Amino acid sequence: MVIWLLIIGKICFPNYRKCYSKATRKSFIVLFFFACAILSGFRCLHVGVDTINYKHQFDLVAASSWSDIFSSFYFNSMEIGYVLFMKLCSTIFNNYIIFQVIESVIFLCLFGRFIIDSTNHVFLACCVFLGIGIFLDFMNVTRQVFAVAVVINGLCDLRKKHAIRAFIVLIIAVTIQISSAVFLISYILYFLRNKNLIMKLLPLCSIFVLVFSELFVNIVIAFFPKYENYLMRNSINQSAHFIILVWLIIVFMALLTIYGRKKANPFSNVIALFCIFYVICNCLGFKYNYFERVGLYFVPFVLLLLPEFVARIKNKRLKDAINFCMVFGFTMLFLISSTGSKQYQNYHLLGGDDL
């Protein structure tokens, strides 16, 4: 379904160089994310590594009293904000599939707003949204990716000079998934965006941290021994296959954005820096547990970096060629990712047993 929408989108946006109206871009976003909402909202309970577990959590929250829920910040290992979201939906509908649909719609609306507010090239951004794995991650690590969708909109508010609203959004995201607190780094770096020296030093510092990661992790464990289980060397033999090539391309474009321009765009530098953070977190994920989860908070900025990089290319033929390669590459990456896993091979919309 989404692949057909991408084909339709290419018909709607045949010329990358043309600046389409905001109404046209919004219309495509609505259609594209409507299809995504159907696929994620009405998926059967066997699609997504934690979907069945979330169904059990939803039933438990629905059966619990409000006083039990408010007794602690955590309820059955879930943060209070997400639990309240479940409880509110269960009070009105008391059906997990309806909750799943509502959650999917909110998630995709938040990402749609982020894309519309941040880039004019929504078609390529949607291709990257699929190919880089955000959509599939939402169906697997739902609560965290939902928190990502919430917190990135805080940065949109910050750009519009709504600082109080931005910090309220950050607090809401933390109540959904505590790891959202890491996004405070993004707020700080946004305020430092005009400090050119800092922006140029941070990529080098990030690479330094990657090279000497074991030293830094040992220091963290020495001061916070309770996190040793989270940071210990990953026992799972992970492989990224050709996604590593995508990471190298992202880092190359990010470095060119930061170091290859005489007149730097401050926010473009911030976007590029966040993309480097995303790649480094995934590289650390090969050695230590859960670092790739931290990278989820920075992956949305890849949706902005790549279209912005293509838009800066002056040669029209080269621009069109690179744009085509990106659209084709990320679409194929999504198809490979979605068909390479057994749970997606057996994908179907919910059946009677799921209701």
Side-chain angles (χ1 to χ4, degrees), residues 204-221:
L204 301 178
C205 295
S206 303
I207 296 172
F208 181 82
V209 170
L210 177 62
V211 173
F212 296 97
S213 58
E214 192 165 344
L215 172 63
F216 287 100
V217 167
N218 288 335
I219 292 173
V220 171
I221 292 175

Side-chain angles (χ1 to χ4, degrees), residues 108-253:
L108 292 164
C109 285
L110 290 171
F111 251 100
R113 183 214 179 198
F114 173 74
I115 293 173
I116 287 292
D117 285 355
S118 305
T119 180
N120 292 328
H121 306 290
V122 297
F123 178 70
L124 179 54
C126 288
C127 292
V128 179
F129 173 81
L130 292 178
I132 206 69
I134 297 174
F135 182 56
L136 296 182
D137 282 337
F138 173 67
M139 292 190 282
N140 283 285
V141 284
T142 304
R143 184 160 50 98
Q144 181 168 359
V145 182
F146 187 75
V148 170
V150 173
V151 79
I152 59 174
N153 277 272
L155 192 61
C156 292
D157 292 327
L158 205 60
R159 292 186 65 196
K160 295 176 182 177
K161 299 182 179 180
H162 301 312
I164 295 176
R165 187 191 303 174
F167 281 97
I168 291 173
V169 169
L170 177 62
I171 292 170
I172 293 172
V174 169
T175 67
I176 296 172
Q177 170 61 259
I178 192 69
S179 61
S180 299
V182 74
F183 204 76
L184 182 61
I185 296 172
S186 303
Y187 284 19
I188 295 171
L189 292 179
Y190 178 76
F191 285 119
L192 296 175
R193 66 190 182 281
N194 292 314
K195 305 295 183 182
N196 196 41
L197 179 61
I198 294 176
M199 289 294 107
K200 291 187 182 299
L201 285 177
L202 281 174
L204 301 178
C205 295
S206 303
I207 296 172
F208 181 82
V209 170
L210 177 62
V211 173
F212 296 97
S213 58
E214 192 165 344
L215 172 63
F216 287 100
V217 167
N218 288 335
I219 292 173
V220 171
I221 292 175
F223 284 97
F224 305 99
K226 68 177 182 178
Y227 291 111
E228 183 173 3
N229 179 54
Y230 292 91
L231 297 176
M232 66 182 182
R233 191 175 300 277
N234 204 326
S235 59
I236 301 173
N237 184 21
Q238 299 183 9
S239 59
H241 303 297
F242 55 87
I243 191 65
I244 293 177
L245 176 61
V246 176
W247 294 345
L248 289 174
I249 293 172
I250 291 171
V251 171
F252 174 74
M253 290 183 175

